Amino acid sequence: MAGIIEPRTLSGFMELLPQDQVVFEKIKNQLEKIYLQYGFYPLDTPILEDSRILLAKAGGETEKQIYRFTKGDTDLTMRFDLTVPLAKYVAKNYSDLTFPFRRYQIGKVYRGERAQRGRFREFYQADIDIIGDGKLSIINDAEIPSIIYSIFTGIGIDEFIIHINNRKVLNGLFSLLNIKDYSADIMRTIDKIEKIGRENVKAEILDMGVSEDAIDKILETITFKGSKEDILNYLGQFTGKDETFDTGLEELTSVVNNIKGFGVPDEYVMIDLAIARGLDYYTGTVYETFITGHPEYGSVCSGGRYDNLAEYYTKKSLPGVGISIGLTRLFHVLSDNGFLNRKHENPIDVLVIPVSDQVENALTVATAFRAAGINTAVYTETAKLKKKLTYANKLAIPFSVFINEESAENVELKNMESGDQVTISVDEAISQILAAKAELGKEKFVEMKK
Amino acid sequence: MAGIIEPRTLSGFMELLPQDQVVFEKIKNQLEKIYLQYGFYPLDTPILEDSRILLAKAGGETEKQIYRFTKGDTDLTMRFDLTVPLAKYVAKNYSDLTFPFRRYQIGKVYRGERAQRGRFREFYQADIDIIGDGKLSIINDAEIPSIIYSIFTGIGIDEFIIHINNRKVLNGLFSLLNIKDYSADIMRTIDKIEKIGRENVKAEILDMGVSEDAIDKILETITFKGSKEDILNYLGQFTGKDETFDTGLEELTSVVNNIKGFGVPDEYVMIDLAIARGLDYYTGTVYETFITGHPEYGSVCSGGRYDNLAEYYTKKSLPGVGISIGLTRLFHVLSDNGFLNRKHENPIDVLVIPVSDQVENALTVATAFRAAGINTAVYTETAKLKKKLTYANKLAIPFSVFINEESAENVELKNMESGDQVTISVDEAISQILAAKAELGKEKFVEMKK
């Protein structure tokens, strides 16, 4: 042997300790559960694809950040998002799919960005999309916020606001102010308003050659404050002048009205005319989600409506609406701020401890526990009793069960937190452990401090 | 737009249609459930690692098959198994782990092999390992078959046999026959006995320069047929002559005896002295699992005991025992042979259909269904009723619910299979749908034809 290689993990690649991984998995499972409840199909696509497929659209910035290489005569790229693979998938399997096609995908994506704290090169995205064939009802745009609401309240993030806008409203506004040619640039600038402030946004747009009057009207509009009704009423002043604007306002109104029907409390949703989602990709409704009191985390769930998912792979018109959660980053933020509920960090319900070296009874009891759906570890190493208990304590296993050589019928059940110890039957032990497990199941995975 | 790029997926990369993906996910979840029941922690390691780490041991064959490239000045490799990353992980986090450390990992690995039917370049492995610090009780080796048993019966594969051997028995035998120097070569040859037959194995070993007497003794031993007791008795003749052999026989006996304690029916386990698991890596117990009547599928779950997990990354002695299931290949075999239970191919429990364009009542009902844990899709597109029903039929959704404009209290529930339709309250509908879901939950994911 030549010697020891220092074991390290690449920077920008999240690799969790076991107790953190448990919480991560529970959050990931919760997302899947909600996606399934909303009628989405799971999907899994390769991490490696032909570069021609993944880079059909990509511009300069994407090219720089990707992991791309050749093997044999194949030019390969590691996927940098889940949207491009979805576009390929839907175009490829068009005739086998039933539309609207609703799919979720939770998977790793790769971006070779400069590594820095909180930025990852390998990270999970959790995406859902609803794809129509030729058309897709605006009701779907109203369903998305209810999914976001269920996801975040489901994992324990209770205070957040979903910001909604419609790109057609902005585009229409630019059009009726005769500054349509600057739309894309203005939107990119508007997107930065939280970061750089109103005055700097104004200066940047002035530099483009847009008149001060037009800028003021835009800034007045996008920073107009009020209830959803107030904002919709305010926007009413522009109707009848531009078709795109009118469509946008109609869509926005429909989305806002239908969100209630999906059971989302009013205070979780706001119209925010200042969010534009820089990407050209979006064509209608757009979403961003901010945790209340924590604008510094950025949007934790974003997305929107697009007219054409797969234009690079098919001539079919495939409009859709979707959102994406950057799960690795979200977990990092929650963990880093001490917001994870530590009660969830252990996956084992009970440790079965044979008090002597005879393990047969312990195995019988463990088998009964597992059959009852209890996650059971058996301590089968030769060790003093104290060491066995230390194992349970270190792993924060809630119960230990001591098994002697005489009986596999009665056991000593020890609650590791309270220290209480009782002699009971295996069936009674099962009941107590399952009851505690059910209690834990009610605990959310995240506890935001007030 | 320059034109359409044909959407394709790289050969050797499994990409399933939605209905197949659903079954795949359910099988994967079942594996996770069982691993958790046996007290294993989830683990997730990066797909990309520093090449120095992943290739610390790798020989020529591995080098050829890997996906390796450089980005900037980093030499990167996509993981080709889950064992090397585990070794790195345990060495790296040694002081933060509690031993025995039990972990499962289900993840994709990459091998750039020549693509052929049933061979994949990207595929899931589902691994478990139990790692000791300095030592690890042989009882763990007896627990592994009970996990294999729970996994396979859990997904619906009822007829299989776990073949067990111990490398020390074979090594000891070679030693006491004075042919120790040929051990590795002989084991590799023995591993092929099913494929090439006894006579060819004999010829190959003769070519190595081993005496015919020794070969005959070895072949007599490894092909000796009988019950576990018969084989252990037969092996008794060699005891007292070689320490390694004696230890191996003791371990094998202990494993076989303790397997019963873990609740595995006798007929699912056999001693098979002919399996050697060619890899040098294993040092004691070895396992292979064959589906009864289908030797052509090869071993669907293999593994064994090793003395030292992480010798390339730490001087600590970390013995362990583990198994791996090639999940992608297993799924391919089951699917290809029509063994998947098609009742599991749809993830949606009910389709809510508004009979008019008014969707509000439909949304209210859908929200109630979801709160009850029912996977609910709402058909919100503008379409004729017939088209809406076609959607439910195409997706094989078991129930449709029709909602009119008058009431969100009473609904028309239609059983899509029987065609029965009843007007009932939302609560009653929930009960019926949940009952059907519970029935489906009893169905296994795999149905092997007799």
Side-chain angles (χ1 to χ4, degrees):
Chain A
M1 263 219 50
I4 299 298
I5 298 166
E6 192 208 345
R8 51 185 291 274
T9 300
L10 292 167
S11 97
F13 288 70
M14 182 184 269
E15 189 177 63
L16 300 170
L17 284 174
Q19 60 271 31
D20 292 330
Q21 190 68 49
V22 175
V23 187
F24 184 91
E25 294 297 319
K26 287 182 180 179
I27 292 174
K28 185 151 77 74
N29 289 343
Q30 177 68 19
L31 263 59
E32 287 185 342
K33 188 182 137 188
I34 300 293
Y35 293 155
L36 285 167
Q37 261 174 27
Y38 277 85
F40 289 82
Y41 272 78
L43 190 63
D44 191 6
T45 63
I47 282 172
L48 274 182
E49 300 253 18
D50 187 320
S51 298
R52 279 170 301 180
I53 298 284
L54 287 197
L55 305 175
K57 180 196 183 178
E61 268 311 296
T62 307
E63 288 269 7
K64 258 186 282 172
Q65 292 178 356
I66 54 170
Y67 289 98
R68 177 179 182 176
F69 61 98
T70 54
K71 180 158 178 81
D73 51 5
T74 315
D75 183 351
L76 301 161
T77 294
M78 295 178 81
R79 67 184 180 205
F80 48 84
D81 70 9
L82 301 177
T83 308
V84 179
L86 172 67
K88 178 213 73 175
Y89 182 90
V90 174
K92 177 173 179 277
N93 299 302
Y94 173 81
S95 58
D96 288 312
L97 299 178
T98 305
F99 295 91
F101 174 54
R102 302 161 71 90
R103 84 84 178 82
Y104 75 84
Q105 183 167 9
I106 304 179
K108 287 178 171 177
V109 303
Y110 295 81
R111 296 195 194 158
E113 299 186 76
R114 205 162 55 83
Q116 48 179 301
R117 196 169 162 69
R119 274 278 181 94
F120 295 93
R121 289 171 168 167
E122 176 186 71
F123 57 96
Y124 278 95
Q125 282 195 334
D127 280 23
I128 52 170
D129 285 272
I130 308 168
I131 314 294
D133 183 10
K135 60 192 169 60
L136 184 74
S137 155
I138 188 75
I139 308 282
N140 293 287
D141 299 44
E143 188 177 27
I144 295 285
S146 74
I147 303 171
I148 300 175
Y149 173 74
S150 296
I151 290 286
F152 283 99
T153 55
I155 62 175
I157 300 175
D158 291 321
E159 297 196 11
F160 57 91
I161 294 180
I162 305 163
H163 296 233
I164 298 183
N165 195 8
N166 190 302
R167 289 276 294 248
K168 294 194 185 93
V169 168
L170 292 181
N171 280 327
L173 201 63
F174 299 145
S175 176
L176 60 85
L177 292 168
N178 291 314
I179 50 169
K180 201 173 159 182
D181 293 347
Y182 308 92
S183 299
D185 290 334
I186 295 175
M187 288 226 222
R188 256 189 294 278
T189 310
I190 286 176
D191 250 356
K192 299 187 288 185
I193 195 163
E194 279 293 322
K195 220 182 273 178
I196 66 174
R198 181 174 173 144
E199 283 317 302
N200 287 316
V201 166
K202 181 167 176 177
E204 274 195 29
I205 301 178
L206 262 177
D207 277 353
M208 295 173 199
V210 175
S211 77
E212 192 158 2
D213 276 2
I215 297 172
D216 285 339
K217 196 73 199 165
I218 289 168
L219 290 178
E220 182 193 305
T221 307
I222 65 168
T223 59
F224 180 83
K225 302 281 176 225
S227 69
K228 295 179 205 52
E229 292 67 27
D230 291 344
I231 295 176
L232 293 173
N233 283 337
Y234 173 88
L235 289 173
Q237 70 180 289
F238 302 109
T239 49
K241 294 171 193 161
D242 181 86
E243 209 179 315
T244 303
F245 179 87
D246 293 352
T247 310
L249 184 54
E250 202 179 296
E251 289 181 1
L252 187 58
T253 307
S254 164
V255 168
V256 166
N257 288 338
N258 278 303
I259 284 173
K260 292 174 203 156
F262 280 102
V264 182
D266 197 51
E267 65 269 28
Y268 284 90
V269 178
M270 68 179 273
I271 297 176
D272 180 353
L273 300 174
I275 64 157
R277 306 279 320 139
L279 298 157
D280 301 334
Y281 188 59
Y282 295 110
T283 51
T285 312
V286 286
Y287 316 95
E288 293 196 341
T289 311
F290 296 92
I291 297 177
T292 308
H294 294 287
E296 74 275 18
Y297 301 161
S299 173
V300 291
C301 179
S302 308
R305 156 78 72 147
Y306 39 88
D307 281 342
N308 219 338
L309 173 72
E311 59 182 327
Y312 296 93
Y313 316 113
T314 176
K315 286 179 175 163
K316 302 269 176 206
S317 154
L318 300 166
V321 60
I323 44 165
S324 182
I325 296 173
L327 186 56
T328 299
R329 204 180 134 273
L330 176 63
F331 184 85
H332 171 78
V333 162
L334 296 172
S335 168
D336 216 34
N337 289 285
F339 292 158
L340 299 179
N341 183 348
R342 286 289 156 201
K343 285 183 190 152
H344 276 294
E345 72 181 15
N346 152 53
I348 302 169
D349 301 319
V350 63
L351 180 68
V352 173
I353 299 177
V355 292
S356 70
D357 285 348
Q358 196 256 51
V359 296
E360 210 173 296
N361 287 340
L363 303 188
T364 305
V365 172
T367 303
F369 282 175
R370 285 165 182 159
I374 293 170
N375 296 348
T376 307
V378 188
Y379 198 98
T380 50
E381 303 307 298
T382 307
K384 295 216 172 98
L385 192 59
K386 199 181 158 194
K387 195 178 169 190
K388 296 176 179 179
L389 279 171
T390 305
Y391 186 80
N393 276 321
K394 268 195 185 166
L395 295 181
I397 302 174
F399 291 100
S400 288
V401 159
F402 303 99
I403 315 284
N404 59 35
E405 293 182 28
E406 281 79 51
S407 164
E409 311 289 313
N410 287 302
V411 300
E412 299 260 331
L413 178 72
K414 181 177 176 133
N415 183 318
M416 296 301 289
E417 209 187 330
S418 69
D420 293 346
Q421 193 166 324
V422 288
T423 306
I424 52 177
S425 73
V426 170
D427 282 349
E428 285 172 283
I430 288 174
S431 301
Q432 285 202 29
I433 298 165
L434 285 178
K437 192 179 165 91
E439 274 308 304
L440 179 65
K442 291 180 197 156
E443 293 263 345
K444 296 291 169 68
F445 310 113
V446 175
E447 283 182 326
M448 306 285 287
K449 286 165 196 118
K450 303 295 172 190
Chain B
M1 263 221 48
I4 299 298
I5 298 166
E6 191 208 344
R8 52 185 290 273
T9 300
L10 292 167
S11 97
F13 288 69
M14 181 184 268
E15 191 177 62
L16 300 170
L17 284 174
Q19 59 273 31
D20 292 329
Q21 190 68 49
V22 176
V23 186
F24 184 91
E25 295 295 319
K26 287 183 180 179
I27 291 175
K28 184 151 78 75
N29 289 343
Q30 176 69 20
L31 262 57
E32 287 185 340
K33 189 180 138 193
I34 299 293
Y35 293 156
L36 286 166
Q37 265 177 22
Y38 277 85
F40 288 82
Y41 272 79
L43 190 63
D44 191 7
T45 63
I47 282 172
L48 274 182
E49 301 254 16
D50 187 320
S51 298
R52 280 170 302 180
I53 298 284
L54 287 197
L55 303 176
K57 180 196 183 176
E61 267 312 297
T62 308
E63 288 270 7
K64 258 186 283 172
Q65 293 180 354
I66 55 171
Y67 290 97
R68 179 179 182 175
F69 61 100
T70 55
K71 180 157 178 81
D73 50 7
T74 315
D75 183 352
L76 300 161
T77 294
M78 295 179 82
R79 66 183 180 206
F80 48 84
D81 71 10
L82 301 177
T83 308
V84 179
L86 172 67
K88 178 214 71 176
Y89 182 89
V90 175
K92 176 172 180 278
N93 299 302
Y94 172 82
S95 57
D96 288 313
L97 300 179
T98 305
F99 295 90
F101 174 54
R102 301 162 71 92
R103 86 85 178 81
Y104 75 84
Q105 182 166 8
I106 303 178
K108 287 177 171 177
V109 302
Y110 296 81
R111 297 195 193 158
E113 300 185 74
R114 203 162 57 81
Q116 47 178 302
R117 194 167 166 70
R119 274 278 181 98
F120 296 93
R121 289 171 168 167
E122 176 186 69
F123 57 96
Y124 278 95
Q125 283 195 332
D127 281 23
I128 51 168
D129 287 271
I130 308 169
I131 314 294
D133 184 10
K135 58 188 170 57
L136 185 73
S137 155
I138 189 73
I139 309 282
N140 293 286
D141 298 43
E143 189 176 25
I144 296 286
S146 73
I147 303 171
I148 299 175
Y149 172 74
S150 297
I151 290 287
F152 282 99
T153 54
I155 64 177
I157 300 175
D158 291 320
E159 297 194 14
F160 58 90
I161 295 181
I162 305 164
H163 296 232
I164 298 183
N165 195 8
N166 190 302
R167 288 278 292 250
K168 292 193 187 95
V169 168
L170 292 181
N171 280 325
L173 202 63
F174 300 145
S175 176
L176 61 83
L177 291 169
N178 290 314
I179 49 170
K180 203 172 162 182
D181 292 348
Y182 307 94
S183 299
D185 290 333
I186 295 175
M187 289 227 223
R188 259 190 292 279
T189 310
I190 287 177
D191 251 356
K192 298 188 286 187
I193 196 163
E194 279 291 323
K195 219 182 276 178
I196 66 175
R198 182 175 172 142
E199 283 315 303
N200 286 315
V201 165
K202 182 167 174 175
E204 273 194 32
I205 302 178
L206 261 178
D207 277 352
M208 295 172 199
V210 175
S211 77
E212 191 158 5
D213 275 3
I215 298 172
D216 285 339
K217 196 72 199 164
I218 290 168
L219 289 178
E220 181 192 308
T221 306
I222 66 170
T223 58
F224 181 84
K225 303 283 175 222
S227 68
K228 295 180 206 52
E229 290 69 27
D230 291 342
I231 295 176
L232 293 175
N233 283 338
Y234 174 86
L235 289 174
Q237 68 180 291
F238 302 109
T239 48
K241 296 174 193 158
D242 182 87
E243 210 180 314
T244 303
F245 179 88
D246 292 352
T247 309
L249 182 54
E250 202 179 297
E251 289 181 3
L252 187 58
T253 306
S254 165
V255 168
V256 165
N257 288 338
N258 276 303
I259 284 173
K260 292 174 203 155
F262 279 103
V264 181
D266 196 52
E267 65 269 29
Y268 284 90
V269 178
M270 67 180 273
I271 297 176
D272 181 353
L273 299 174
I275 65 158
R277 306 280 318 135
L279 298 157
D280 299 334
Y281 188 60
Y282 295 111
T283 50
T285 311
V286 288
Y287 315 94
E288 293 198 339
T289 312
F290 296 93
I291 297 177
T292 308
H294 294 289
E296 73 276 17
Y297 301 161
S299 172
V300 291
C301 178
S302 309
R305 157 77 71 145
Y306 40 87
D307 280 342
N308 220 338
L309 173 72
E311 57 181 329
Y312 297 93
Y313 316 113
T314 177
K315 286 177 176 164
K316 302 270 178 206
S317 154
L318 300 166
V321 60
I323 44 165
S324 182
I325 296 173
L327 187 55
T328 299
R329 206 182 131 269
L330 176 64
F331 184 85
H332 172 78
V333 163
L334 295 172
S335 168
D336 216 34
N337 288 285
F339 292 159
L340 298 179
N341 183 348
R342 288 285 153 204
K343 287 183 187 151
H344 276 293
E345 72 179 16
N346 152 53
I348 302 169
D349 301 319
V350 63
L351 180 68
V352 172
I353 299 177
V355 292
S356 71
D357 284 347
Q358 194 256 54
V359 295
E360 209 170 297
N361 288 340
L363 303 189
T364 306
V365 171
T367 303
F369 282 174
R370 286 165 182 158
I374 292 170
N375 296 348
T376 308
V378 189
Y379 197 99
T380 51
E381 304 307 297
T382 307
K384 296 216 169 99
L385 193 59
K386 197 181 162 198
K387 194 178 171 191
K388 295 176 180 180
L389 278 172
T390 304
Y391 187 78
N393 275 321
K394 267 196 186 168
L395 294 182
I397 301 175
F399 290 100
S400 287
V401 157
F402 304 100
I403 315 284
N404 60 35
E405 292 181 30
E406 283 78 47
S407 163
E409 313 288 314
N410 288 303
V411 300
E412 299 260 332
L413 178 72
K414 180 175 177 136
N415 182 320
M416 296 301 288
E417 209 187 329
S418 68
D420 293 348
Q421 194 166 325
V422 287
T423 307
I424 53 177
S425 72
V426 171
D427 282 347
E428 285 172 285
I430 288 174
S431 300
Q432 285 201 29
I433 297 164
L434 285 178
K437 193 180 165 89
E439 274 307 305
L440 179 64
K442 291 180 198 157
E443 293 263 346
K444 295 291 170 67
F445 311 113
V446 175
E447 283 182 326
M448 307 284 287
K449 284 164 198 123
K450 304 294 169 187

